Amino acid sequence: MSIEETSSLLAGIPISSLAMAMLFGSITFTTAALTMKTWLKTGDIHVLRAAMKPRSQPLDTNSLVSIFTLLYHSTTFGMILFFAYICENHPLYPHDEKVYDRDQFFFLVVLLFLFGFYTLHKHGQDEQLDTTSTAAASSGVNESILSSNAGRDEVENVIPNSSMEDCHPISVEDRSSSSLYDKSNVQVAYLRVKEAKSYNDVLNRDQTEEWKGWMQFVFLIYHYYHAEEVYNSIRIMITCYVWMTGFGNFSFFYLKNDFSFVRVIQMLWRLNFLVVFLCLSQGTTYILYYICPLHTYYFLMVYAAMRVGKRLNYSKFGLRVKLAIVALIIYLVWDVDLGLFKVIHYPLVGSKPTLGATHGTMWEWYFRSTLDHWSSLLGMIFAANYPIVSLFYRKLEAMSPSKCWLGKGCMGVSMMFAFVVWVRGPFQLEKFDYNVTNPYFGFVPLITYIYFRNLTPGLRSHSLKVLHEIGKTTLETYLMQHHIWLASNAKSLLVLIPGWPKINMVVITIIYFFVSRKLYKVTIFLRGMLLPNDSKRCIQSLLAMVCIIMFFYSIAYYLYTVGFVALKAIAIVSVLCGCFLYILVIDKTWESYTSAKSHDDEVHRPPGYFSEKSSSKASKFLPPITGGTVLLILGVVWQRLAIAGGVKIGPLHQRCETLVNNGHWISVDGCNEVVRGEAFRNEAIQNFATCGSPGAAYMWGWEVSMSSARCRFTQRNAKQLTKNLSHRRIGFVGDSMTRYLYHAFSRLLGMKDAGSYDANGPKHSNITHTVDHTLIDFIWAPFAIDQLQIIKDMNEDTRKWNDPTYDLVLIGGGAWDRLHRFSNDEEMSALGLTISDLVEQMKIMKKAGIPIVWITPTTINTPALNSPEKRDHMTEEDMNDMRSIYEQLGVNQAASFVLDGPSFSEERVHESFDGVHYPIDVYVAGAQIFANALDWLLPEVQSAEKFSSPEPGKMARPLLGFIMLCLCFIGLFCFDGFYGFSYVTCLFVKGILPNDLYLEAFSILHEKCDLPPLNASARSSPKANQSKKPKKTVSFPQKITRRKKVTFNDDEEVELINQGIGNN
């Protein structure tokens, strides 16, 4: 295939994909050219080594090393996007179908946990109790735990560049002398409670990474196997992720009081950088990756809640009143159908169907946000009470074992009771019914897990390291599963080793996780370079990125306009822009770079070193040649894969009609362990009696074709067919062979009993079925003359009424004519004339735009023919002659498609019970061939009717929403992170009322982290106030001088965050 032919393959790619190819092509050219340039100058690859092991520093536009580092990581990012594009659009082998195996699904889950227990890790074993590590303890919110589904390092995702290590330690003596504390009420209580470290507090960092890890693993294999039966569990896991978003972001804003533009834009970068470039490079939509907009939306909600009236954030009741107002707004927007949701979101989302939102973006966003509209707020409430929750656990553990376990046991029983009620109630509902209940009951398993996972200090101090590692890349693994681990936007499986599904899964998984971790590092590093802690430089970087993207998008749009969409066009633009960028970098940085390197060059000259002066021509021409060579290699790879590789899953092209009939039957031993397991679980069958060759089952499949054929035939199910054939009319015309095919196709549409044997039912009659707005008719017409008249009548109706009777007609015959009207020359001649007329009518129908399919007679089992007449006139040899006559007279050529009966019946001929007809499963194979051919025979078209998407508000449940509103008020004003369950313990154990723990829990946190002091009403009891002079307090942030301030660069700060932080 020539380059011009290859260009036609690129004509269908989105404009944004073309723009990204030119953008990253230019960057790759410049990176390769600069690498060669520096090697020619210094004789080594110092710049490349510096870029491969960089330190996160703001971009210095006057430094060659800094610019090259940016280009190097941008090139790496572009290569990964290119790899994802190839996997999605030009795979080596056609994408495979998902197949659910319950046994293997749960086997992998169990195996993960069993392996995980071998990586059981005790937190803090290697930590030294020096000043720095002591400073990591705090009785406040453990910032290291704050996590969302946004990515690998969820501290980086949700609370970027913040650490409670900045908070200074407070000794017991400091506590007793501090002006924040009332000695009579507080000091004794503190002495009774053990100090909590960063590694053994409630929801510490290691534990939450583990939590994210096992949820992400289950979430991924749920998608890999399409395990719909565990959908409700997966929905709970997404609820947990959204809960973490509210929890983490609230804690960051509370601790840091940082609402700056820089922090917000850094957070939005972390959540959306990768997904934006995936949308651009793949030509997909933002809503397709719904987790990202979901977490972005709730991050902004938390930001708004904490930013508005931020002076109240450190008031005991002011903050809680604000959150109560948020709860009321949520109730009115989502739980009461007032139309507020549509009013608020109408400017942002549309109502037209799009990729990832088949019912319109408005409905999809309403649906996604409604499923977890309370979760983020519940996470905020837990964070607001987190110091109390931590102290609550430690207070119980400071008591005698009997009191401790009495208190924990009572609370555990009450929570377990609620959990069991949820499991036996809402959790058992079907998918669509469960979705409505999830916002109101999903928190039950969430807080139950948190409570029991943190039940003892031992449980809090240990985690499974392998799950911890998986939890570090949740954003990247979620996003890249759409195009690398899976394919077709997560609808199918990527294949690198065909025929070996398990080995293929292992290989793909290794690549997938490697790419995900690399993407995490690139995203964090680029953020550090382009979005430093300087709002002016952040704005400059963002504007520059937008302008560059728009520039390349404009070029791509122009190429589309002039019809010059080809690999050579991409190459020309990439080389020209790459040369411009290369020259710009050299002119700006080369002199300073060479002067800095001159001393090193004089001291250490590597062997074979040649100066730039002695090789001026090489220095001038080799770098651009190197950049062009790299682009040439990438272009050749793209071209070869575009030619020889597969394509993204879509409707089959008409060229596939030459291959769709190619297949055969294979015997399958149904006694393998998978089938035996399902039989035992579902049907209580212990062993099979019909195994092996005597009782083998048969399956029909398509023969392997070259990937370049782009013919990926698959089994079509009722959901696919009814969707594509909605409001269509299909007519089957013919004899009993055609009728059996009609019944088989009806079964594909979901009519399981179609064609069931009925001795009393009519045989030679018409049949009509309507399946989900699809009309399918069978018209009894055994002779060619009958078929001719029916087709003629259909053409006449089409001409007269300009409305065809059917959208597609399938016709078959020949057997009855051969049996009853082919005994002499006169009958043969008459049949020939009838067939010729039929051909003309078929051509008329075809010309009118109505596809017409001809099915050739299936194979005849001559020994099984049950009458002398049939054995004399209807043998397989006779029918083969009849097939040839129809073909010679032009029936096959007149038809839009020919369904070859022998292709799916010849190998099963011995099973024809009467010599003519077969078991229904044989005809199902023919129906599947026909169903695949419908891709080009009846392509899906946009309905002429105006699209009407569901209206937001259908999932509103005012009563359940009101109950959630009350639950939020309980959590807020009763100071209980477990939303009221802690008070069950207080019925049996005295002195641990959450409301009474507020002062003790929050005082040390405010002192350590230089937060504003608590107000008098929260700090002192009436008795204490009588014996003391009132002290002036403030309830809003004040600038407080820190005892010790340590500054870190970005890498060191990220490392400290990764180590985790703690509470006292």
Side-chain angles (χ1 to χ4, degrees), residues 91-96 493-495 646-647 705-707 711-712:
L92 284 174
Y93 301 98
H95 298 155
D96 203 358
L493 305 180
L494 181 63
V495 177
V647 292
S705 60
M706 299 294 292
S707 298
C711 296
R712 179 182 175 272

Side-chain angles (χ1 to χ4, degrees), residues 247-318:
F247 180 35
N249 287 293
F250 175 94
S251 300
F252 167 74
F253 289 126
Y254 187 91
L255 289 170
K256 295 299 180 181
N257 194 32
D258 183 358
F259 301 95
S260 65
F261 169 80
V262 172
R263 290 302 186 182
V264 173
I265 207 66
Q266 286 177 342
M267 182 63 193
L268 294 179
W269 171 287
R270 181 68 190 98
L271 288 171
N272 294 284
F273 172 72
L274 176 56
V275 70
V276 166
F277 277 94
L278 277 178
C279 291
L280 292 173
S281 61
Q282 298 286 345
T284 52
T285 58
Y286 189 43
I287 194 66
L288 175 68
Y289 314 94
Y290 68 90
I291 289 294
C292 292
L294 197 65
H295 286 278
T296 300
Y297 183 83
Y298 285 115
F299 161 73
L300 293 175
M301 186 191 79
V302 177
Y303 174 80
M306 296 296 286
R307 178 64 180 83
V308 176
K310 64 179 182 178
R311 298 166 64 92
L312 299 173
N313 289 347
Y314 303 106
S315 168
K316 180 177 182 180
F317 289 103

Side-chain angles (χ1 to χ4, degrees), residues 87-88 95 481-483 485-494:
C87 291
E88 184 74 34
H95 298 155
Q481 67 161 331
H482 290 80
H483 308 294
W485 203 47
L486 306 175
S488 304
N489 301 321
K491 297 295 190 298
S492 59
L493 305 180
L494 181 63

Side-chain angles (χ1 to χ4, degrees), residues 798-1060:
T798 302
R799 184 192 63 81
K800 183 177 180 180
W801 305 107
N802 197 27
D803 182 22
T805 307
Y806 297 103
D807 296 292
L808 180 144
V809 176
L810 185 145
I811 184 173
W816 278 58
D817 288 295
R818 186 63 183 81
L819 180 62
H820 299 292
R821 298 181 179 179
F822 206 74
S823 59
N824 53 57
D825 293 340
E826 184 180 351
E827 290 182 343
M828 293 180 187
S829 178
L831 178 61
L833 293 174
T834 301
I835 295 175
S836 297
D837 291 341
L838 177 62
V839 168
E840 293 303 318
Q841 292 299 319
M842 292 173 66
K843 290 179 179 179
I844 293 173
M845 179 172 283
K846 186 177 177 181
K847 188 176 181 180
I850 304 172
I852 184 164
V853 177
W854 172 257
I855 175 173
T856 61
T858 53
T859 306
I860 300 298
N861 184 11
T862 302
L865 293 172
N866 53 17
S867 70
E869 185 182 12
K870 289 182 179 179
R871 286 193 290 270
D872 290 339
H873 301 287
M874 201 176 171
T875 64
E876 172 56 22
E877 184 178 356
D878 296 329
M879 288 308 302
N880 195 43
D881 292 339
M882 187 60 68
R883 297 187 194 102
S884 299
I885 291 173
Y886 273 84
E887 183 176 6
Q888 292 169 5
L889 292 175
V891 172
N892 290 13
Q893 289 74 19
S896 304
F897 170 66
V898 178
L899 178 56
D900 185 27
S903 68
F904 60 86
S905 61
E906 186 175 8
E907 294 176 327
R908 298 283 296 276
V909 65
H910 60 281
E911 296 184 40
S912 176
F913 47 87
D914 60 0
V916 179
H917 305 110
Y918 290 82
I920 193 67
D921 66 295
V922 175
Y923 294 98
V924 168
Q928 285 289 352
I929 296 174
F930 174 58
N932 278 262
L934 287 174
D935 278 10
W936 65 83
L937 294 172
L938 277 182
E940 187 176 0
V941 295
Q942 192 72 29
S943 176
E945 299 178 5
K946 184 178 179 180
F947 174 79
S948 178
S949 63
E951 287 294 321
K954 289 188 175 182
M955 297 176 68
R957 296 295 184 272
L959 179 58
L960 291 175
F962 180 76
I963 294 174
M964 289 300 300
L965 190 65
C966 295
L967 191 74
C968 291
F969 290 164
I970 291 173
L972 288 170
F973 298 106
C974 293
F975 301 87
D976 186 7
F978 290 108
Y979 318 111
F981 281 99
S982 300
Y983 283 84
V984 177
T985 299
C986 300
L987 297 176
F988 301 91
V989 179
K990 305 301 181 184
I992 55 171
L993 279 171
N995 186 35
D996 294 341
L997 301 181
Y998 175 84
L999 175 62
E1000 184 175 348
F1002 277 87
S1003 295
I1004 299 177
L1005 171 65
H1006 281 236
E1007 179 76 3
K1008 287 181 61 179
C1009 295
D1010 292 337
L1011 297 175
L1014 303 175
N1015 57 41
S1017 60
R1019 182 171 56 82
S1020 306
S1021 65
K1023 182 177 180 180
N1025 287 335
Q1026 291 175 4
S1027 60
K1028 291 176 153 185
K1029 282 187 177 183
K1031 295 184 179 180
K1032 184 178 180 181
T1033 61
V1034 293
S1035 58
F1036 53 88
Q1038 286 184 338
K1039 184 175 180 181
I1040 303 176
T1041 303
R1042 296 178 182 268
R1043 300 185 183 185
K1044 180 179 180 181
K1045 183 174 181 63
V1046 183
T1047 60
F1048 309 101
N1049 63 36
D1050 287 348
D1051 283 346
E1052 293 169 336
E1053 190 172 8
V1054 169
E1055 180 61 28
L1056 286 175
I1057 294 173
N1058 287 341
Q1059 293 173 0

Side-chain angles (χ1 to χ4, degrees), residues 317-605:
F317 289 103
L319 172 63
R320 295 169 190 273
V321 169
K322 282 208 307 179
L323 295 184
I325 294 173
V326 173
L328 184 60
I329 293 173
I330 290 175
Y331 175 73
L332 294 176
V333 172
W334 276 278
D335 293 314
V336 182
D337 188 8
L338 301 176
L340 293 177
F341 183 91
K342 192 170 184 178
V343 171
I344 294 171
H345 298 90
Y346 185 78
L348 303 176
V349 294
S351 58
K352 293 183 178 180
T354 185
L355 180 63
T358 56
H359 291 92
T361 310
M362 175 65 77
W363 170 259
E364 185 69 17
W365 181 239
Y366 170 73
F367 171 73
R368 295 296 180 185
S369 60
T370 300
L371 288 173
D372 294 296
H373 64 275
W374 286 106
S375 303
S376 187
L377 177 62
L378 292 175
M380 295 170 68
I381 294 172
F382 192 95
N385 294 312
Y386 178 83
I388 298 174
V389 171
S390 175
L391 185 60
F392 179 83
Y393 272 104
R394 289 181 283 121
K395 282 275 191 178
L396 282 173
E397 289 155 4
M399 298 178 180
S400 63
S402 59
K403 283 189 175 181
C404 173
W405 286 107
L406 175 63
K408 289 184 176 180
C410 292
M411 184 173 172
V413 168
S414 63
M415 297 188 78
M416 186 56 67
F417 175 77
F419 178 75
V420 171
V421 171
W422 171 79
V423 169
R424 300 186 65 178
F427 188 67
Q428 300 298 322
L429 297 174
E430 293 297 325
K431 175 180 178 178
F432 296 106
D433 294 328
Y434 176 79
N435 283 336
V436 177
T437 69
N438 186 75
Y440 312 106
F441 298 100
F443 76 95
V444 173
L446 187 154
I447 63 171
T448 303
Y449 172 82
I450 293 175
Y451 177 76
F452 284 102
R453 181 63 182 84
N454 294 274
L455 192 60
T456 68
L459 288 173
R460 300 196 294 268
S461 300
H462 292 80
S463 64
L464 307 182
K465 201 162 188 178
V466 65
L467 301 182
H468 180 281
E469 292 299 316
I470 296 174
K472 290 180 178 180
T473 53
T474 50
L475 173 62
E476 287 71 26
T477 52
Y478 165 74
L479 290 173
M480 298 313 295
Q481 67 161 331
H482 290 80
H483 308 294
I484 293 182
W485 203 47
L486 306 175
S488 304
N489 301 321
K491 297 295 190 298
S492 59
L493 305 180
L494 181 63
V495 177
L496 293 182
I497 308 177
W500 299 85
K502 293 181 176 61
I503 299 299
N504 180 74
M505 181 185 183
V506 172
V507 173
I508 293 295
T509 300
I510 293 172
I511 296 173
Y512 164 65
F513 275 105
F514 172 79
V515 168
S516 297
R517 294 183 75 89
K518 188 66 177 178
L519 277 173
Y520 163 76
K521 294 177 181 179
V522 169
T523 303
I524 294 299
F525 177 79
L526 291 179
R527 190 191 69 178
M529 289 200 79
L530 299 177
L531 299 179
N533 295 327
D534 183 338
S535 59
K536 183 178 179 180
R537 297 191 63 180
C538 287
I539 294 173
Q540 291 174 346
S541 297
L542 292 175
L543 288 177
M545 288 181 61
V546 171
C547 291
I548 291 171
I549 292 173
M550 292 304 299
F551 171 74
F552 282 99
Y553 190 90
S554 300
I555 296 176
Y557 182 80
Y558 174 76
L559 292 176
Y560 260 89
T561 303
V562 300
F564 188 45
V565 180
L567 286 175
K568 57 184 178 182
I570 296 175
I572 292 171
V573 174
S574 298
V575 170
L576 291 177
C577 294
C579 285
F580 173 78
L581 181 59
Y582 167 74
I583 294 171
L584 184 65
V585 173
I586 291 298
D587 290 344
K588 190 172 181 61
T589 64
W590 188 250
E591 184 177 349
S592 60
Y593 173 74
T594 53
S595 61
K597 290 290 295 179
S598 60
H599 177 71
D600 292 338
D601 289 343
E602 293 175 0
V603 176
H604 290 291
R605 292 187 182 276

